[in-house]
Amino acid sequence: MDRLTAMEVFVRVVETDSFSAAARQLRVGQPAVSKTIAQLEERLGVGLLLRSSRGLTPTEAGQHVYERAKRSIEEADEAELAARGAGAGLSGRLRFNAGVTLARLHIIPRLPLFLAAHPELTVEAILDDHNVDLIAEGIDVALQVGTLADSAMVARKIGQSRRLVLGTPSYFEKAGEPAAPAELADHQAVIYAHAAGGATWSFRSGTAEETVMLNDSVRITAAEGVREAVFAGLGLCVASEWMFQPDLDNGRVKQVMLAWTLPSLALWAAFPTGRRASAKARAFTAFVEDQLRQTNFAE
């Protein structure tokens, strides 16, 4: 039995809390994972995992093995990268997670530049407006907008976007343009139900602050749906500049209430907890941050 391979299998099992999830990440059968763990326990002479209906828990010995095994694997990965020439020799598969709209408008169109700089890499984009389990899904880096779901997550802020009140010119021709928060009561709104804030927003103008609740005509859980509802004239919306930036540029939507501001929205590069960010994840994060800087969205 290859000792380092067995340790990597054990680390994946602990981090995914599942034999089957670890098998999927490693692209092997579940029986092979179970056999490897059994052989490792036999070799070490101790039980490493406690199995129950609620999942898998490392024993005290298993926790010690996990921490040291993870460190050894990271060091082996770094040594391999160094031997290849570090960043210049990035290869393999990079799995990143991002919201559908953020990726469609700002990341995927720029991927050719990243792949041209790293031709030995392949990219797999896991697109979902809701947060995913980075470890279970084998994600190298996630681009998460807003407040991080897990406060213990290893993350770095790489950008921020203004929040705007906007709608189509035809909608405002019909309903009028609000100039102050109180006037929003006369409008119908498209609510992005997944975003922080929802229907309630606090606006500031100088030292003045006003909190209002929007009258929703429709609530939608995906940013792509919010965009289409706004284009259809169902109402105005409060959204990040990221979500509508190309449409603001070409006049398909317009911003109103320019004298009032809202809290900005942060973009984070998040990495699996307890795992050192890989060289390819760091390179991708730096690339995204650089691209955002060119569009004035960088931190």
Side-chain angles (χ1 to χ4, degrees):
M1 174 179 57
D2 183 291
R3 200 180 310 181
L4 188 60
T5 299
M7 291 295 184
E8 182 175 7
V9 171
F10 176 65
V11 166
R12 294 292 183 96
V13 169
V14 172
E15 291 184 342
T16 60
D17 192 30
S18 167
F19 281 80
S20 57
R24 286 195 298 272
Q25 285 191 16
L26 294 165
R27 292 180 172 80
V28 299
Q30 183 175 333
V33 171
S34 300
K35 181 179 179 181
T36 298
I37 297 301
Q39 291 175 336
L40 184 59
E41 289 179 321
E42 182 179 356
R43 176 188 179 89
L44 298 176
V46 294
L48 299 174
L49 295 167
L50 297 175
R51 301 160 179 82
S52 70
S53 58
R54 291 179 295 179
L56 301 170
T57 305
T59 62
E60 183 177 356
Q63 185 63 32
H64 289 310
V65 171
Y66 165 73
E67 292 171 357
R68 287 161 175 76
K70 180 178 65 174
R71 192 155 55 242
S72 296
I73 292 167
E74 290 172 346
E75 290 173 353
D77 288 343
E78 291 296 326
E80 184 175 342
L81 287 169
R84 291 178 178 178
L90 295 180
S91 63
R93 183 178 299 275
L94 168 76
R95 286 170 61 88
F96 80 89
N97 163 243
V100 176
T101 300
L102 177 71
R104 183 176 70 81
L105 295 179
H106 303 289
I107 308 301
I108 292 176
R110 295 171 168 84
L111 278 181
L113 294 173
F114 180 71
L115 291 174
H118 305 286
E120 298 301 314
L121 271 181
T122 58
V123 171
E124 186 172 353
I126 313 301
L127 303 185
D128 196 320
D129 279 8
H130 297 79
N131 294 324
V132 302
D133 187 323
L134 305 190
I135 293 175
E137 296 294 332
I139 303 297
D140 294 294
V141 58
L143 303 177
Q144 296 190 358
V145 175
T147 304
L148 292 175
D150 182 355
S151 61
M153 187 175 291
V154 178
R156 183 166 67 85
K157 185 178 177 182
I158 61 172
Q160 63 181 20
S161 172
R162 296 183 299 162
R163 282 188 171 107
L164 311 175
V165 180
L166 48 81
T168 61
S170 60
Y171 169 78
F172 289 126
E173 288 176 9
K174 177 181 66 176
E177 293 187 16
E183 297 177 23
L184 291 171
D186 299 326
H187 290 263
Q188 293 297 305
V190 178
I191 304 299
Y192 184 17
H194 176 60
T200 304
W201 296 95
S202 293
F203 292 83
R204 294 185 65 89
S205 180
T207 59
E209 182 171 345
E210 291 188 34
T211 299
V212 297
M213 179 173 288
L214 305 179
N215 299 316
D216 56 306
S217 62
V218 61
R219 288 176 180 252
I220 301 177
T221 60
E224 289 293 279
V226 172
R227 285 171 49 82
E228 293 305 315
V230 170
F231 296 151
L234 289 174
L236 53 72
C237 77
V238 176
S240 70
E241 190 173 3
W242 277 321
M243 192 187 295
F244 284 93
Q245 186 258 325
D247 313 289
L248 286 162
D249 290 345
N250 64 30
R252 192 176 185 188
V253 297
K254 66 180 295 185
Q255 178 189 1
V256 295
M257 292 177 49
L258 276 66
W260 294 84
T261 61
L262 290 157
S264 62
L265 195 65
L267 176 65
W268 302 85
F271 308 95
T273 303
R275 186 183 302 169
R276 183 185 302 173
S278 65
K280 56 189 176 184
R282 294 196 301 270
F284 181 71
T285 300
F287 170 78
V288 172
E289 187 172 19
D290 180 66
Q291 294 299 309
L292 291 176
R293 186 176 295 109
Q294 295 180 34
T295 55
N296 296 319
F297 288 134
E299 167 63 1

